């Protein structure tokens, strides 16, 4: 089971000095990272992961076999949004996922239908930071 939200760590390099010499002289450039880049991008990736997790659960709903609705609820109850892992905790979830006659592999079917729109939505969270 997921232990908690996924922690993203972005490490930036220290500033770098580049020097290029030619017949006409020498050019020196210093490259430095914006100090706000790391925390901003980490937050963007965390928000994007939370979006992906919740969208996958939401879009799996119509694909998931239902009798009483417990199997659908088990994804919401068993998943820590932002962890990058979806857990369906109903005791019969695994068997239904692989052996259901009409609606097996519901995550894969959902992913095939909605992957592009989920990724597009997640990209907005990263770009906004």
């Amino acid at each position: 089971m997921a232990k908690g939200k996924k922690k993203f760590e972005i490490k930036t390099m220290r500033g770098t000095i580049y020097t290029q010499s030619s017949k006409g002289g020498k050019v020196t450039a210093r490259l430095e990272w914006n100090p706000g880049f790391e925390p901003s991008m980490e937050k963007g990736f965390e928000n994007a992961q939370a979006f992906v997790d919740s969208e996958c659960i939401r879009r799996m709903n119509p694909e998931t076999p239902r009798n009483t609705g417990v199997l659908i609820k088990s994804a919401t109850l068993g998943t820590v949004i932002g962890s990058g892992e979806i857990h369906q905790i109903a005791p019969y979830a695994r068997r239904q996922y692989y052996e259901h006659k009409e609606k097996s592999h519901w995550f894969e079917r959902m992913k095939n239908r909605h992957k592009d729109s989920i990724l597009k939505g997640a990209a907005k969270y990263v770009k906004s930071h």
Side-chain angles (χ1 to χ4, degrees), residues 14-67:
R14 293 179 24 180
T16 307
I17 298 176
Y18 292 97
T19 303
Q20 179 68 44
S21 298
S22 67
K23 290 180 185 176
K26 186 165 66 168
V27 175
T28 302
R30 181 182 178 107
L31 300 175
E32 293 183 1
W33 287 90
N34 176 345
F37 177 81
E38 287 178 37
S40 173
M41 291 306 291
E42 287 172 356
K43 187 66 176 164
F45 284 125
E46 288 172 8
N47 291 340
Q49 185 64 63
F51 172 80
V52 169
D53 293 354
S54 60
E55 276 297 286
C56 285
I57 291 171
R58 183 178 75 81
R59 291 177 184 238
M60 279 185 347
N61 185 328
E63 306 285 343
T64 306
R66 68 181 27 84
N67 188 10

Side-chain angles (χ1 to χ4, degrees), residues 87-103:
H87 293 276
Q88 290 188 282
I89 57 174
Y92 51 87
R94 177 182 298 273
R95 185 168 190 167
Q96 289 293 309
Y97 188 79
Y98 292 107
E99 297 178 11
H100 194 275
K101 290 180 181 161
E102 291 130 21
K103 288 194 162 192

Side-chain angles (χ1 to χ4, degrees), residues 16 76 81 121:
T16 307
T76 303
I81 299 296

